[in-house]
Amino acid sequence: MNSAKFPISTNQEARLLTAPEFQDLAAIPAEVEWFKNHDNDHTKRAYKKAIKEFMLFAGIDHPEKFRLITRAHVIAWRDALYERLTRKGKKLNKVTVRHRLTALSSLYDYLCDKNAVVHNPCKGVKRPTVIRKTGRTPAIADRQARGLLNAPVDDKLKAKRDRAILATLLYHGLRRTELCKLRVQDYRFQIEGVPHLFVEGKGDKDRYVPLHEFAAELIDDYLDAAKHGGDAGGALFRPLRNSRKGGMKKAITPDGVYKLVQHYAATLGVRIRPHSLRATAATNALKHDADLAKVQEWLGHANISTTRLYDKRDSDPKDSPTFKVSY
């Protein structure tokens, strides 16, 4: 091979694998590789729990035993999960059973792609049918959304930050993990003269979301007070106290956002989660005649059927046949 045509880098700063490291990585079982390939923490936790349950049920104590699993094993596990549905005190439901089977099927699809197994034993195993016409996360009323935006009342840094966070969630329908990943530079994109947020979405589905004027004003106000507007690559929303790792450059955590939303919701006498603000943004946009396909893109949904769960335009209780009955 001509080394001039295909130059080999001799940069000593480049990180090279040692021979033992290379051998260790080459020996990683496909099952472990599949798990590491997921970058969403929520998905990882859910899939890890499902696979651990199945391994315990089937007596799998070594990755090689995954090759011995048949459809009969999967059906037996599914039936055991169904049995738990009838026991008191268990929070397992049909959606959870379906998710458990989906996780196992995802693993076997990966093993098939890697030629580690010849077939997916989950294929043909009937899963519980889950029909949902509305989302499980309730949206809040418009007056409650306005109350939430007005809940941080003073002019201190915390109130300015919290108002900016609540507005970013309510006006752009972001997931809390997406909000936590925002950097200062991510709210300064211009597309055809219109300010946009650059959002690192779920499943590597990045997107640009037009920035609402009201939210932009609150973010600017927060950055002026926080003094990190010049740190383009740093986190946009940060904790108020220094931490040992990362200091003030460290982003607020999803748990921090969760507690923030719950705190202000409690002042209004309601109990909601951050995802309710995403549901509220989607429901409000659709109610004001936003195009369903554009809302799907706006939210970063992979499937438009998920977006339809937020569409309440045809489910007004006042339109129920109940009120059409007349004797």
Side-chain angles (χ1 to χ4, degrees), residues 62-256:
H62 190 275
E64 289 297 324
K65 287 192 176 181
F66 277 105
R67 280 83 169 152
L68 306 177
I69 296 300
T70 67
R71 186 181 299 171
H73 292 103
V74 179
I75 291 174
W77 184 47
R78 180 206 61 190
D79 291 345
L81 293 173
Y82 273 138
E83 190 177 327
R84 285 172 57 184
L85 286 174
T86 61
R87 297 180 187 173
K88 293 183 179 180
K90 295 291 184 181
K91 294 184 178 180
L92 202 66
N93 55 36
K94 288 184 177 181
V95 173
T96 306
V97 173
R98 189 175 180 88
H99 284 175
R100 296 282 197 277
L101 292 169
T102 298
L104 186 62
S105 183
S106 173
L107 169 59
Y108 272 101
D109 279 341
Y110 189 84
L111 295 179
C112 286
D113 288 341
K114 291 291 183 179
N115 294 317
V117 296
V118 295
H119 73 286
N120 183 345
C122 300
K123 298 293 185 185
V125 176
K126 188 174 180 180
R127 304 179 194 181
T129 302
V130 180
I131 300 175
R132 289 194 287 134
K133 294 184 177 179
T134 60
R136 286 177 290 167
T137 304
I140 59 176
D142 291 353
R143 58 178 175 77
Q144 292 174 315
R146 289 191 294 270
L148 205 56
L149 288 169
N150 294 326
V153 291
D154 57 50
D155 258 350
K156 294 180 180 179
L157 177 59
K158 183 180 187 308
K160 290 177 183 286
R161 183 204 64 179
D162 295 354
R163 275 194 294 269
I165 287 176
L166 292 168
T168 303
L169 292 171
L170 279 166
Y171 281 101
H172 306 97
L174 301 189
R175 301 174 178 94
R176 56 178 166 150
T177 52
E178 293 173 341
L179 179 132
C180 294
K181 290 179 181 178
L182 289 175
R183 297 165 296 175
V184 173
Q185 65 191 23
D186 292 338
Y187 98 107
R188 290 177 174 164
F189 280 92
Q190 293 273 338
I191 299 178
E192 296 184 4
V194 178
H196 280 66
L197 285 172
F198 172 71
V199 181
E200 293 185 39
K202 182 179 179 181
D204 294 328
K205 291 188 285 290
D206 299 340
R207 63 192 189 278
Y208 291 92
V209 177
L211 181 62
H212 196 281
E213 289 183 5
F214 180 66
E217 290 177 6
L218 293 179
I219 293 173
D220 286 338
D221 193 30
Y222 158 60
L223 287 179
D224 286 343
K227 309 296 184 185
H228 65 267
D231 183 16
L236 178 58
F237 297 113
R238 306 181 180 188
L240 299 176
R241 298 177 183 176
N242 284 307
S243 61
R244 291 182 181 178
K245 294 182 179 179
M248 291 296 284
K249 291 190 176 184
K250 189 176 181 180
I252 189 172
T253 64
D255 184 60

Side-chain angles (χ1 to χ4, degrees), residues 132 134-139 273-277 279-280 283 310 312:
R132 289 194 287 134
T134 60
R136 286 177 290 167
T137 304
R273 298 178 179 181
H275 208 75
S276 287
L277 307 192
T280 300
T283 300
Y310 296 111
K312 307 293 195 303

